[in-house]
């Protein structure tokens, strides 16, 4: 392993296989017991405004948040667009703190997803500018270079690929570059990718495996901190003048408050799982739809202004995360159903994103539709802070493939890609060929 390119695309054969296995194991965990989540949730949306019970466990057959004990609180589920939007928007009534009960054990420090109220609002306001489009777009040349040089160009001679191989690695590689880690130390990147693997592999339901997974993840989380802290100190000593994420975070300020070194390191660390698998699955879904919806590939190949529309419609039509759970901080009520304080409310995103009272022909993948808010990146105060980074990466990946792989198309000798799963949906493989 000498060059960054070799390491970046596939850190090591065995390591790549392990990541593929870990990713496949997570997909299996969330495969669930139904074949068509959209049909199952549409039936509920039309008949039952509020389901009283654990719909996710009972109907989908998958666990909700890692580390969360099933059956510990009264549980309800909502399916309609407006109900899902109202719950996600009202973060004072429908809170996230419970997420730290499971994950918090591993992620001490800034775990923004599990924060509530003014503490969350202030931190979010401090972090937000670094992730707004005008700032994120300045990273485009760096992201384009990583995608082209480290991923697409090295595979060109093969004339065939499973695009999930690059899809598994580029989000981790891009985060490594954006955080500002050294570009001339492939062994450090390989280590970073190995930690990403540990974090994916930690997602288990089996109690013993979950405990072991959490132990390994906790180790990775600690080591990540140990490599991040010196980077943060170095950037601060340099005056935070760089355009990397750490420098941007060092300079972030809101109402006179700034982040200290510990906060910058713990937040940067938390981005590895937030930005990895989610982007892999969304890229896989976008490529699957691009390659399989009749006529779409030719249109997008010839008109790249359609790429953002392709990505937005993918996030509506095939959200990788099919539900979001919240806990009620007070007694409340939805559609006449009383929901006591301390209940879980399951927001079924897969249903709301296909609500035909809001989206015309909601079950049709249509990149020309006028986009309205949907929930693949969440909604309200916790809406994905990295959505513009994710969209930019996926955009650069699709453009790199269409530019560099002449006549890219499905491999007719392999099974067509299929987006699967009750939750954390995505294709396992996307086999393509080119001239
Ligand atoms: C296509 C890829 C991605 C998808 C589908 C996705 C999805 C989501 C969703 C649904 C949420 C809201 C969770 C909730 O409300 O419970 C979220 C939050 C978050 N995402 Fe993403 N994400 C993606 C990529 C990224 C990237 C690239 C980053 C970082 C650069 C990122 C960082 C975060 C963070 C920090 C939060 C927590 C925000 C908060 O609690 O205020 N995500 N993401």
């Amino acid at each position: 392993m000498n060059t960054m390119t070799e390491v970046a695309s596939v850190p090591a054969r065995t390591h790549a296989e392990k990541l593929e296995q870990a990713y496949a194991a997570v997909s299996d965990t969330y495969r669930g017991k139904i074949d068509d989540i959209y049909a199952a949730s549409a039936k509920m949306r039309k008949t039952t405004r509020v389901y009283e019970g654990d719909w996710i466990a009972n109907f989908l057959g998958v666990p909700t948040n890692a580390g969360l004990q099933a059956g510990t609180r009264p549980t309800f589920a909502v399916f309609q667009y407006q109900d899902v939007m109202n719950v996600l928007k009202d973060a004072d009534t429908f809170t996230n703190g419970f997420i730290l009960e499971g994950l918090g054990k591993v992620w001490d420090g800034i775990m923004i997803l599990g924060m509530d109220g003014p503490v969350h609002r202030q931190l979010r306001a401090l972090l937000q500018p670094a992730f707004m489009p005008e700032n994120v777009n300045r990273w485009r040349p760096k992201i384009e270079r990583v995608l082209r040089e480290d991923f697409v160009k090295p595979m060109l001679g093969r004339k065939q690929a499973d695009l999930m191989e690059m899809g598994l690695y580029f989000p981790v590689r891009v985060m490594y570059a954006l955080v500002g880690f050294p570009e001339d130390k492939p062994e450090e990147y390989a280590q970073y990718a190995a930690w990403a693997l540990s974090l994916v592999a930690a997602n288990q339901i089996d109690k013993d495996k979950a405990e072991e997974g959490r132990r390994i993840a906790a180790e990775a989380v600690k080591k990540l901190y140990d490599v991040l802290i010196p980077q943060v100190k170095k950037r601060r000593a340099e005056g935070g003048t760089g355009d990397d994420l750490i420098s941007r975070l060092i300079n972030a300020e809101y109402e006179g408050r700034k982040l200290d070194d510990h906060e910058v390191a713990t937040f940067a660390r938390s981005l590895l799982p937030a930005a990895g698998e989610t982007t892999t699955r969304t890229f896989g879904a976008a490529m699957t739809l691009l390659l399989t919806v009749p006529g779409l590939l030719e249109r997008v190949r010839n008109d790249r202004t359609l790429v953002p529309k392709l990505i937005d419609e993918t996030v509506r039509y095939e959200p990788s995360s099919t539900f979001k759970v919240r806990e009620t901080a007070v007694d409340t009520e939805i559609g006449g159903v009383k929901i006591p304080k301390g209940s879980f409310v399951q927001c079924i995103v897969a249903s709301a994103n296909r609500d035909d009272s809001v989206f015309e022909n909601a079950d049709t993948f249509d990149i020309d539709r006028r986009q309205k808010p949907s929930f693949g990146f969440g909604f309200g105060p916790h809406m994905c802070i990295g959505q513009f980074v994710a969209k930019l990466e996926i955009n650069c990946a699709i453009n790199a493939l269409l530019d560099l792989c002449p006549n890219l198309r499905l491999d007719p000798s392999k099974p067509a890609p299929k987006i699967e799963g009750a939750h954390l949906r995505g294709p396992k493989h996307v086999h393509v060929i080119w001239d």
Side-chain angles (χ1 to χ4, degrees):
M1 281 306 151
N2 294 319
T3 67
M4 194 68 183
T5 300
E6 280 169 60
V7 177
S9 46
V10 183
R13 196 68 238 158
T14 49
H15 183 267
E17 278 159 13
K18 275 196 205 155
L19 182 55
E20 204 178 316
Q21 279 162 14
Y23 174 85
V26 174
S27 303
D28 289 344
T29 299
Y30 289 98
R31 203 182 177 310
K33 59 185 182 189
I34 51 157
D35 284 333
D36 186 346
I37 184 177
Y38 298 108
S41 60
K43 203 165 146 199
M44 297 302 299
R45 189 174 66 236
K46 285 174 184 147
T47 58
T48 312
R49 181 151 170 210
V50 180
Y51 175 83
E52 299 185 39
D54 186 341
W55 191 77
I56 292 170
N58 297 345
F59 283 76
L60 301 186
V62 297
T64 52
N65 290 67
L68 202 119
Q69 295 304 309
T72 52
R73 289 130 159 117
T75 302
F76 301 81
V78 292
F79 304 87
Q80 294 180 6
Y81 182 90
Q82 201 55 52
D83 287 334
V84 167
M85 182 180 265
N86 291 346
V87 170
L88 295 180
K89 201 162 60 178
D90 179 2
D92 291 328
T93 306
F94 302 97
T95 57
N96 271 21
F98 72 93
I99 292 173
L100 296 183
E101 285 175 30
L103 292 173
K105 287 179 199 138
V106 173
W107 295 97
D108 65 325
I110 291 190
M111 174 58 177
I112 186 171
L113 188 59
M115 293 178 173
D116 287 312
V119 178
H120 175 260
R121 273 194 287 279
Q122 276 163 12
L123 180 65
R124 179 83 194 209
L126 191 73
L127 297 171
Q128 189 78 54
F131 292 95
M132 292 311 282
E134 61 273 22
N135 285 326
V136 166
N137 285 334
R138 295 214 305 270
W139 282 327
R140 182 182 267 273
K142 199 181 253 191
I143 297 178
E144 257 171 6
R145 185 177 42 72
V146 166
L147 260 312
R148 285 169 191 248
E149 301 304 324
D150 287 358
F151 290 91
V152 180
K153 284 188 185 169
M155 72 181 187
L156 280 180
R158 283 160 41 193
K159 304 210 168 176
Q160 50 129 325
D162 174 0
L163 293 182
M164 292 314 284
E165 278 174 19
M166 71 176 261
L168 274 169
Y169 275 100
F170 79 73
V172 177
R173 174 70 184 90
V174 167
M175 277 323 291
Y176 181 87
L178 296 188
V179 165
F181 281 122
E183 288 292 321
D184 56 350
K185 299 222 169 92
E187 65 289 354
E188 286 191 12
Y189 169 70
Q191 182 56 69
Y192 187 77
W195 289 327
L197 163 67
S198 306
L199 298 174
V200 174
N203 201 342
Q204 303 272 354
I205 355 179
D206 177 276
K207 207 167 157 286
D208 293 339
K209 279 193 194 161
E211 231 156 74
E212 174 64 358
R214 225 177 271 171
R215 191 190 60 72
I216 295 170
E219 228 168 81
V221 165
K222 181 172 176 323
K223 287 185 179 151
L224 254 174
Y225 182 82
D226 293 344
V227 297
L228 274 160
I229 273 287
Q231 294 289 336
V232 177
K233 289 191 187 306
K234 185 167 163 261
R235 293 294 186 301
R236 204 181 286 280
E238 289 163 359
T241 48
D243 201 26
D244 54 277
L245 181 64
I246 291 181
S247 299
R248 287 188 190 177
L249 295 176
I250 286 172
N251 289 318
E253 186 171 349
Y254 180 69
E255 293 182 342
R257 169 160 144 60
K258 297 186 98 173
L259 298 170
D260 64 24
D261 290 356
H262 172 72
E263 289 170 320
V264 172
T266 53
F267 177 69
R269 174 178 76 173
S270 75
L271 291 180
L272 185 55
E277 209 191 326
T278 47
T279 308
T280 297
R281 291 184 190 279
T282 306
F283 164 74
M287 287 312 300
T288 301
L289 290 158
L290 177 65
L291 290 156
T292 56
V293 172
L296 192 56
L297 181 59
E298 273 326 294
R299 274 190 74 197
V300 176
R301 203 193 319 263
N302 295 328
D303 179 1
R304 302 306 172 76
T305 64
L306 298 177
V307 174
K309 293 182 181 199
L310 166 73
I311 298 169
D312 285 344
E313 177 65 346
T314 300
V315 173
R316 178 195 75 86
Y317 184 80
E318 274 297 356
S320 64
S321 184
T322 60
F323 57 78
K324 290 274 147 268
V325 183
R326 295 292 190 256
E327 184 183 16
T328 48
V330 290
D331 289 345
T332 186
E333 179 259 320
I334 301 176
V337 175
K338 289 198 174 354
I339 301 185
K341 175 181 173 182
S343 303
F344 284 142
V345 177
Q346 305 176 334
C347 299
I348 310 303
V349 168
S351 164
N353 277 13
R354 302 258 191 127
D355 189 329
D356 40 20
S357 68
V358 176
F359 299 102
E360 210 174 302
N361 298 322
D363 287 321
T364 303
F365 184 77
D366 174 9
I367 65 167
D368 299 315
R369 74 170 63 248
R370 198 170 62 78
Q371 282 297 337
K372 299 175 186 161
S374 64
F375 310 108
F377 281 115
F379 192 77
H382 287 280
M383 188 167 186
C384 182
I385 203 170
Q387 62 173 302
F388 300 111
V389 178
K391 288 185 198 184
L392 180 59
E393 286 180 62
I394 297 171
N395 187 314
C396 290
I398 294 173
N399 274 302
L401 287 164
L402 293 177
D403 283 345
L404 299 173
C405 303
N407 195 18
L408 180 86
R409 58 203 182 273
L410 282 179
D411 183 342
S413 71
K414 300 266 172 50
K418 196 167 166 233
I419 300 165
E420 294 174 307
H423 186 49
L424 303 186
R425 283 170 69 77
K428 279 198 173 126
H429 306 281
V430 180
H431 294 288
V432 290
I433 53 172
W434 56 91
D435 296 339

